[in-house]
Amino acid sequence: MGEGLRYGFRDCVVRDKDIFVFVAEPDLTEEDKAKYEENGWNFDLAPKGILTFVRDDPEGDRWGWCYQSWETLIIGASLKPASHSVSIERTTPYKRHEHFTYVTGSGSDYEDEPLASKKGSFVRGAVTHMKMIDGWLYACTGRRGLGKRLSKGKWKSFSECFPVPEEGDYDKGFEDFDAFNESDIYLAGGKGDIWHFDGKKARQIPIPTNANLETVCCGGDGEVYVSGSKGMTFHGRGDRWEKVENEEPYEDPTTLPFRDMVWYEDKVWATNDFGLWVIENNIIKKADVPEWVFDCSGDLSVGDGVLLLSGRAGAVFRENGEWHKILLFDEMEALLEAEENG
């Protein structure tokens, strides 16, 4: 990828139990940034990697990759109309071609049409999250945008089902969503701005907080979990909501909200760059995991019986009650250094 740059994972997705896809971003030092500025380059467009790990391939042939000099990428996966991973620019510096998109899997990789390049796009702001619902890939955006990917270059917009916030009203908009099925979708963002969508009509839902909402998880217990700034989390459904209690006062999450929440092994898992937590019996507590797992905190994805965790330190996954290493950057660098030193 970018010559001389150190990379870490910034997003991940489970395509199936044997195929995991990652977005890698460079950790730019002040020296790196100065070099970019000296050359008149935009360091927001430093090369991002899209890496595919196929765990049942022979060792040495498990990784495939490409890279794009695009803005920050987010990634999602679909089974319909085919098994794909889709990477999209979260924001964009180019107004004429907004939100570049790259597709891998089920045939040759290709650059798809930019999301907001034509009339009728569902995109209203930053593309904030993508998730699979009933096999289809959905994406939400700021200013209450929602879309469903139908095929190459084709998305169905549901944004018209939601009122558009006034320009500059950042208290309203979607940061995340989740669903029990395509007729039972919950979306949240802004200051307590949460909505239910049945596939045709949307309804705003009252929730007892005006905190900035960041993550949504529809649990296997039938509850919806919504988390906001400073790790404040609620669970409920419809018009019924209750605060989730903390096992101990937060120290680290007070400065970062959860980035992802997923349901796995009969509980909610939540993560950000500071760590990994679980919610059980209406209580948030730090996950009891090995240190090398905790170090990989950052982003979560779940699918096909697998929980995938990745971050600046590397990537791991959990299956059948056990954690497995995929790649730990410190270990890899130590091995490379040992090889160079003979």
Side-chain angles (χ1 to χ4, degrees), residues 272-337:
N272 58 29
D273 284 341
F274 285 151
L276 184 65
W277 292 264
V278 294
I279 300 176
E280 292 182 286
N281 301 319
N282 200 36
I283 296 175
I284 302 173
K285 57 185 178 181
K286 286 187 176 181
D288 183 13
V289 298
E291 185 175 351
W292 51 270
V293 172
F294 198 83
D295 289 344
C296 292
S297 299
D299 296 275
L300 282 167
S301 179
V302 67
D304 205 12
V306 175
L307 176 70
L308 179 63
L309 176 69
S310 73
R312 293 303 185 184
V316 297
F317 70 95
R318 183 173 177 84
E319 185 180 43
N320 298 323
E322 294 186 4
W323 288 100
H324 305 270
K325 296 179 183 179
I326 299 174
L327 173 64
L328 301 182
F329 290 114
D330 285 346
E331 288 187 0
M332 180 183 70
E333 290 176 0
L335 287 172
L336 291 174
E337 185 176 347

Side-chain angles (χ1 to χ4, degrees), residues 144-327:
R144 297 177 181 154
L146 178 67
K148 172 184 176 181
R149 188 173 190 268
L150 301 178
S151 61
K152 183 177 181 179
K154 294 183 179 180
W155 289 75
K156 178 178 176 59
S157 174
F158 297 108
S159 298
E160 62 276 6
C161 299
F162 303 89
V164 185
E166 293 183 8
E167 199 70 44
D169 186 356
Y170 301 111
D171 292 347
K172 302 177 179 66
F174 298 145
E175 290 293 334
D176 194 14
F177 68 100
D178 203 6
F180 296 102
N181 54 61
E182 288 190 283
S183 300
D184 200 355
I185 302 173
Y186 284 81
L187 310 97
K191 292 185 179 296
D193 193 28
I194 182 168
W195 291 72
H196 179 262
F197 182 55
D198 66 5
K200 296 180 181 179
K201 295 180 181 180
R203 181 176 74 91
Q204 191 170 26
I205 293 172
I207 189 170
T209 182
N210 63 355
N212 289 318
L213 301 179
E214 301 284 347
T215 53
V216 183
C217 173
C218 289
D221 58 356
E223 293 287 281
V224 181
Y225 295 81
V226 180
S227 183
S229 55
K230 299 184 179 180
M232 183 181 295
T233 303
F234 292 83
H235 75 95
R237 198 159 178 175
D239 297 339
R240 171 188 56 81
W241 296 93
E242 178 184 354
K243 189 175 179 181
V244 178
E245 300 300 323
N246 303 329
E247 184 175 64
E248 56 188 43
Y250 280 145
E251 295 177 1
D252 294 334
T254 56
T255 55
L256 281 182
F258 295 139
R259 186 180 299 135
D260 284 313
M261 291 198 304
V262 300
W263 182 266
Y264 186 75
E265 291 181 344
D266 298 324
K267 55 181 169 283
V268 174
W269 298 72
T271 191
N272 58 29
D273 284 341
F274 285 151
L276 184 65
W277 292 264
V278 294
I279 300 176
E280 292 182 286
N281 301 319
N282 200 36
I283 296 175
I284 302 173
K285 57 185 178 181
K286 286 187 176 181
D288 183 13
V289 298
E291 185 175 351
W292 51 270
V293 172
F294 198 83
D295 289 344
C296 292
S297 299
D299 296 275
L300 282 167
S301 179
V302 67
D304 205 12
V306 175
L307 176 70
L308 179 63
L309 176 69
S310 73
R312 293 303 185 184
V316 297
F317 70 95
R318 183 173 177 84
E319 185 180 43
N320 298 323
E322 294 186 4
W323 288 100
H324 305 270
K325 296 179 183 179
I326 299 174
L327 173 64

Side-chain angles (χ1 to χ4, degrees), residues 119-164:
K119 188 177 180 180
S121 171
F122 71 92
V123 177
R124 289 177 171 175
V127 183
T128 49
H129 256 96
M130 291 191 286
K131 289 182 180 177
M132 191 191 306
I133 305 176
D134 293 344
W136 297 96
L137 180 65
Y138 282 69
C140 71
T141 79
R143 304 187 71 235
R144 297 177 181 154
L146 178 67
K148 172 184 176 181
R149 188 173 190 268
L150 301 178
S151 61
K152 183 177 181 179
K154 294 183 179 180
W155 289 75
K156 178 178 176 59
S157 174
F158 297 108
S159 298
E160 62 276 6
C161 299
F162 303 89
V164 185

